[in-house]
Amino acid sequence: MREDGLDVIIDKIGNIFGLTGQSTGKNPIMIGSHIDTPNNAGKYDGPYGVIAGLEVAEKLRNHPSQSRRPLMIAAFTNEEGVRFQPDMMGSLVYAGGLDVEMALNARDLDGAILRDELRRIGYSGDMTPGAITPHAFLELHIEQGPVLESDNIQIGAVEALQGISWQRITIGGKANHAGTTPTRLRYDAGLAAAHVITFLRRLVTEYSSTSVATVGQLAFKPNSINVVPSQASFTVDLRDPDEFRLCQLEQALDAYLGRLAAEHCVIVETERLARFKPVVFDRGLVEMIVDSARSLEYSVMKMTSGAGHDAQMIAHICPSAMIFVPSRNGISHDPAEYTAPGQLDSGLDVLFDVVLKIAK
Amino acid sequence: MREDGLDVIIDKIGNIFGLTGQSTGKNPIMIGSHIDTPNNAGKYDGPYGVIAGLEVAEKLRNHPSQSRRPLMIAAFTNEEGVRFQPDMMGSLVYAGGLDVEMALNARDLDGAILRDELRRIGYSGDMTPGAITPHAFLELHIEQGPVLESDNIQIGAVEALQGISWQRITIGGKANHAGTTPTRLRYDAGLAAAHVITFLRRLVTEYSSTSVATVGQLAFKPNSINVVPSQASFTVDLRDPDEFRLCQLEQALDAYLGRLAAEHCVIVETERLARFKPVVFDRGLVEMIVDSARSLEYSVMKMTSGAGHDAQMIAHICPSAMIFVPSRNGISHDPAEYTAPGQLDSGLDVLFDVVLKIAK
């Protein structure tokens, strides 16, 4: 950002912003995404949208429309929520959905505090999150799913985002010797966790083709070969584009956990890690994306995103929308994540064209 | 051992022996167990049998029979198999069931090698395991189960041990984004693992009241909230006192894993960690234990042990048997493991009486 002549500002939650053209006094067009990733994941999810913002700033510098609207390139803190929860933390705090002091007190599994970690890496800034209200927000991103590729479409104009429900479930049983404890006297927390995992798959399969459930993180205690697990702790990720259906899924899981606790004589505790309602993006911006794609002769479709994105937070404070490009084999959060350079360029072309339209 | 005037010998696998009365030239009576424990477990499982051996040596020193037979107090290496596999490693190597060089090459999950770790802690000895053949072996141990307590019996004369089958199962699926991947396109290694866990419980419940199955250790990769697990690795502990039934359980699991791989489009790999056939102890020694208990006016019963013990290995090289005392609430491998001091003394009384009989 500094090399490109942008003014760099860090806010209190570690969001990084690069500003240009502030002399106009107008609210800036914000372009951005995030630069963190899950463990052992790909390089496109996130950084693409930030680097594209820098490209737009570069292109605009020598463009006649450059003075109409300032630009604000954003790299939001902790979008993935791998180490600290909730996910999409930087944009959530920026949009006023979570108090910055509460967010800074988040602890990782080893007890480290986000506030200290941001200081340690030099990204604990001075700006109050949300201090600059964008005129509009655009996020360019890989699809992270198979839809664009399988339909052979170059550009996705994202008109809505799924709702997301994250919780941690901890099941408490009783540690016992694996050889001497008869089956009828076992309170096996691992077995109870396995029942929840198979239940969730049945639930979403029977309920709606739009619903998905994932148990991605799991740990047993004491985690010894010859000891019945006394504790199983795991995460549940539920998503649906419809808020009513998402609530029903959550309630079905709650009811199942109650039955499970009684049947297996185990203690079940749940902790909410994140909950985001489905988001509908700004219609005007979505139409602009469709128009820009068409005028540049790219194939385009409107779509719903299955993933959560910073744009769903920023949508609370200004008109927002997203542009998707295809992901090879729909793979994401994996080193095999890939989008061809030509497709990355197509997304950038559309983004730049939309920014020009907004700036006018 | 040194304080008690015993000659201490360490063998190449780190077994610790304390010898006394070697001047007689006869084969020693071996008394012992192990001093390692699972993570966050109790203090009785193992050390009781070693400390009891030291007590017997102390009592014998001033006893008229002391010169009849040497004593060899044993603390066997790595009975629990928590960090290095297989379990009961020290006694297995001592009995000639596993080559000492192969055992020393065992690696833990962090890649550390047992050979190096024994050197590091100063317990890589010179003696060839098995160099001294015992005349007989006695292991005093807590029951680690509820039978003696619930039947209000003071002493268990263990006449047989369950067979044990340990394997590690690794399921390979595909890492995908938790939001954007439709259920029908998922290859969820964690879900497949959950099916194996619930299958095992059904299997042993339907098959035989003598069979038990435990999945005690489990890990997901990449273990992120918002990523479908690409790998699930877990251990299976199967036990039955009958070898034929144990083989049938293993075959039923194998058949299930084949069906699971086909149905879920996942790759299933199995690795054998340990396999021990059921063991029947020396009838003469078991009768001696019963007689000694009765003559000391303790209530006594013959029983089968559900846990594996060093005695099952040493039984291959000399007449062996075990003496059990009750475990409160049958709890073991947990900090709540407890046996009252008076009950510990009762076990020691019987052990000492049996040693006197053998020495004659």
Side-chain angles (χ1 to χ4, degrees):
Chain A
M1 284 175 173
R2 288 203 180 98
E3 279 173 16
D4 284 358
L6 304 183
D7 298 323
V8 177
I9 303 178
I10 315 289
D11 74 7
K12 289 180 178 168
I13 196 66
N15 292 323
I16 305 164
F17 301 108
L19 281 115
T20 180
Q22 290 163 280
S23 56
T24 63
K26 294 183 178 174
N27 289 351
I29 300 170
M30 187 186 267
I31 303 171
S33 193
H34 61 96
I35 53 177
D36 63 315
T37 72
N39 305 324
N40 193 32
K43 65 182 179 183
Y44 300 86
D45 170 8
Y48 174 42
V50 180
I51 294 165
L54 296 178
E55 291 282 333
V56 169
E58 172 81 27
K59 280 167 175 255
L60 264 189
R61 204 180 308 162
N62 305 313
H63 197 276
S65 74
Q66 69 95 9
S67 60
R68 307 270 178 88
R69 228 0 124 182
L71 274 189
M72 184 171 184
I73 315 305
F76 291 108
T77 296
N78 188 28
E79 196 268 349
E80 299 290 358
V82 171
R83 184 172 166 204
F84 296 99
Q85 280 82 45
D87 59 339
M88 295 175 275
M89 184 188 272
S91 50
L92 176 64
V93 168
Y94 197 87
L98 173 64
D99 179 70
V100 65
E101 295 303 322
M102 275 183 67
L104 289 170
N105 288 332
R107 281 173 189 269
D108 74 2
L109 289 175
D110 298 325
I113 298 167
L114 177 58
R115 181 192 312 275
D116 302 336
E117 290 299 275
L118 281 177
R119 272 192 202 132
R120 187 174 62 79
I121 64 171
Y123 281 83
S124 169
D126 293 326
M127 181 175 122
T128 301
I132 301 173
T133 304
H135 174 69
F137 177 65
L138 289 166
E139 185 171 3
L140 179 58
H141 208 281
I142 61 164
E143 182 199 344
Q144 304 182 267
V147 177
L148 289 174
E149 185 183 61
S150 64
D151 289 2
N152 204 21
I153 300 279
Q154 292 164 295
I155 298 291
V158 184
E159 54 183 355
L161 284 183
Q162 285 189 338
I164 301 180
S165 162
W166 278 11
Q167 39 189 320
R168 181 180 303 285
I169 299 179
T170 303
I171 297 182
K174 199 166 147 189
N176 262 317
H177 191 288
T180 56
T181 318
T183 301
R184 69 177 191 288
L185 295 178
R186 292 182 177 217
Y187 308 97
D188 187 332
L191 175 68
H195 278 296
V196 177
I197 296 171
T198 59
F199 166 79
L200 283 167
R201 172 57 64 95
R202 279 200 310 280
L203 177 69
V204 297
T205 305
E206 289 166 9
Y207 183 65
S208 162
S209 65
T210 61
S211 311
V212 284
T214 306
V215 173
Q217 223 177 52
L218 188 149
F220 280 5
K221 280 185 184 171
N223 207 36
S224 292
I225 301 186
N226 55 351
V227 185
V228 176
S230 59
Q231 191 189 86
S233 175
F234 56 98
T235 55
V236 173
D237 174 315
L238 287 172
R239 306 199 193 196
D240 196 286
D242 182 87
E243 175 63 16
F244 178 78
R245 285 201 298 263
L246 189 56
C247 286
Q248 285 210 315
L249 290 173
E250 291 178 321
Q251 284 163 26
L253 174 58
D254 272 357
Y256 179 79
L257 292 175
R259 294 197 301 275
L260 184 83
E263 212 172 283
H264 287 251
C265 297
V266 290
I267 293 160
V268 178
E269 286 168 2
T270 61
E271 180 195 355
R272 180 160 299 298
L273 299 177
R275 181 64 165 84
F276 301 115
K277 291 187 179 179
V279 171
V280 176
F281 284 134
D282 184 79
R283 278 180 178 237
L285 279 183
V286 174
E287 292 303 334
M288 269 191 207
I289 292 167
V290 171
D291 290 348
S292 290
R294 286 198 180 131
S295 70
L296 293 164
E297 301 190 336
Y298 293 125
S299 51
V300 61
M301 68 183 282
K302 293 183 190 169
M303 62 191 300
T304 294
S305 167
H309 291 290
D310 292 311
Q312 77 191 74
M313 301 307 165
I314 305 305
H316 288 93
I317 56 171
C318 71
S320 303
M322 293 187 74
I323 304 166
F324 274 2
V325 294
S327 301
R328 188 175 64 187
N329 297 324
I331 293 173
S332 183
H333 286 184
D334 186 282
E337 183 179 278
Y338 181 75
T339 298
Q343 294 173 315
L344 296 173
D345 284 344
S346 307
L348 177 61
D349 288 348
V350 174
L351 175 67
F352 183 66
D353 199 65
V354 174
V355 169
L356 285 184
K357 278 183 188 142
I358 300 172
K360 275 182 199 159
Chain B
M1 286 176 170
R2 290 205 177 96
E3 281 173 13
D4 283 357
L6 304 183
D7 297 323
V8 177
I9 303 178
I10 314 289
D11 72 9
K12 289 180 178 169
I13 195 66
N15 292 323
I16 305 165
F17 301 107
L19 282 116
T20 181
Q22 290 163 281
S23 57
T24 64
K26 293 181 179 177
N27 289 349
I29 299 169
M30 186 186 269
I31 303 170
S33 193
H34 60 96
I35 53 178
D36 63 314
T37 71
N39 305 325
N40 194 31
K43 65 182 179 183
Y44 299 87
D45 170 9
Y48 174 42
V50 179
I51 294 165
L54 296 177
E55 291 281 334
V56 168
E58 172 82 28
K59 280 167 175 252
L60 264 189
R61 203 180 308 161
N62 305 313
H63 197 275
S65 74
Q66 69 93 9
S67 60
R68 306 272 179 87
R69 219 16 114 182
L71 274 189
M72 185 171 182
I73 315 306
F76 291 108
T77 296
N78 188 29
E79 196 268 350
E80 298 290 358
V82 172
R83 184 171 166 205
F84 296 98
Q85 280 80 43
D87 59 338
M88 295 176 276
M89 184 188 272
S91 49
L92 177 64
V93 168
Y94 197 86
L98 174 64
D99 179 72
V100 64
E101 294 303 321
M102 277 183 66
L104 288 169
N105 288 332
R107 280 172 191 271
D108 74 4
L109 290 175
D110 297 325
I113 298 167
L114 177 57
R115 183 192 311 277
D116 303 336
E117 292 297 274
L118 280 177
R119 272 192 201 130
R120 188 174 62 80
I121 63 171
Y123 281 82
S124 169
D126 292 325
M127 182 174 115
T128 301
I132 300 173
T133 304
H135 174 69
F137 177 66
L138 289 167
E139 185 170 2
L140 180 58
H141 207 282
I142 60 164
E143 182 198 344
Q144 303 181 269
V147 177
L148 289 175
E149 186 184 62
S150 63
D151 290 3
N152 202 23
I153 301 279
Q154 292 163 293
I155 298 292
V158 184
E159 53 184 355
L161 283 183
Q162 283 188 339
I164 301 179
S165 162
W166 277 11
Q167 42 191 317
R168 180 178 305 284
I169 298 178
T170 304
I171 297 181
K174 199 166 148 190
N176 262 317
H177 191 287
T180 56
T181 317
T183 301
R184 67 176 193 288
L185 296 178
R186 293 182 177 218
Y187 308 96
D188 186 332
L191 175 68
H195 279 296
V196 178
I197 295 170
T198 59
F199 165 79
L200 283 168
R201 172 55 66 92
R202 279 199 311 281
L203 177 69
V204 297
T205 305
E206 288 165 9
Y207 183 66
S208 161
S209 65
T210 61
S211 310
V212 285
T214 307
V215 173
Q217 223 176 55
L218 188 149
F220 280 3
K221 281 184 184 172
N223 208 36
S224 292
I225 300 187
N226 54 352
V227 185
V228 176
S230 58
Q231 191 189 84
S233 175
F234 56 99
T235 55
V236 174
D237 174 316
L238 287 172
R239 306 197 195 197
D240 196 286
D242 182 86
E243 175 64 15
F244 177 78
R245 285 200 298 262
L246 189 57
C247 286
Q248 284 210 315
L249 291 172
E250 290 178 321
Q251 285 164 27
L253 174 59
D254 271 357
Y256 180 79
L257 293 175
R259 294 198 300 275
L260 183 85
E263 211 173 284
H264 287 252
C265 297
V266 290
I267 292 160
V268 179
E269 285 168 3
T270 61
E271 180 195 355
R272 181 161 295 302
L273 299 177
R275 181 65 166 81
F276 301 116
K277 291 187 179 180
V279 171
V280 177
F281 284 134
D282 184 79
R283 279 181 176 233
L285 278 182
V286 174
E287 291 304 333
M288 270 190 205
I289 292 167
V290 172
D291 290 348
S292 289
R294 286 195 181 135
S295 69
L296 293 163
E297 299 190 337
Y298 293 125
S299 50
V300 60
M301 69 185 280
K302 292 182 190 171
M303 63 192 300
T304 294
S305 166
H309 291 291
D310 291 310
Q312 78 192 72
M313 301 307 166
I314 304 305
H316 287 93
I317 55 170
C318 70
S320 302
M322 294 187 72
I323 303 165
F324 273 2
V325 294
S327 300
R328 188 174 66 188
N329 296 325
I331 293 172
S332 184
H333 287 186
D334 187 282
E337 184 180 276
Y338 181 74
T339 298
Q343 294 173 315
L344 296 173
D345 284 343
S346 307
L348 177 60
D349 288 348
V350 173
L351 175 66
F352 183 65
D353 198 64
V354 173
V355 169
L356 286 185
K357 276 183 190 146
I358 299 172
K360 276 180 194 159

